[in-house]
Amino acid sequence: MRDFAGGRSNALSLPELKQLQKNVAKAIASFEDRRKAEARAKVDDFARELGFSFDELAEAAPTRKRATSAPKYRHPENAEITWSGRGRKPAWIAEALASGKSLDDFAI
């Protein structure tokens, strides 16, 4: 029977298996790094054909920032606690709805 360590017929010890695992992880990381470098070079070449550098294009990428939503609901006992009506319901809203109240009761 052959194993992963080059054809020895005996089983590998735990330290040998762990070293093999480390070696495989290093080989995978090295392979991925080479592939990324190749991709980066191709993108760089294409960007240069268009008169740019990759870094210029990467910096120019627009970033979207989500606007904060105005609060629509206010806690009945603490006016500083609000909820915009987006996302997960806060516990105080969920409890109030379970007790029979409606969102209109908390509208600002």
Side-chain angles (χ1 to χ4, degrees), residues 5-69:
R8 293 186 302 180
S9 60
N10 58 336
L12 296 174
S13 68
L14 183 58
E16 290 172 321
L17 288 170
K18 288 186 177 189
Q19 185 60 48
L20 181 61
Q21 183 180 29
K22 286 180 186 177
N23 292 345
V24 169
K26 285 180 187 176
I28 290 171
S30 174
F31 177 83
E32 289 174 340
D33 289 345
R34 284 192 312 273
R35 295 286 296 177
K36 287 177 187 176
E38 291 169 6
R40 170 74 188 243
K42 286 181 182 180
V43 171
D44 237 356
D45 290 342
F46 184 66
R48 265 191 245 112
E49 287 177 22
L50 299 174
F52 300 100
S53 73
F54 175 76
D55 292 332
E56 287 174 316
L57 296 176
E59 289 174 7
T63 57
R64 284 185 46 200
K65 293 195 177 192
R66 188 177 267 181
T68 31
S69 300

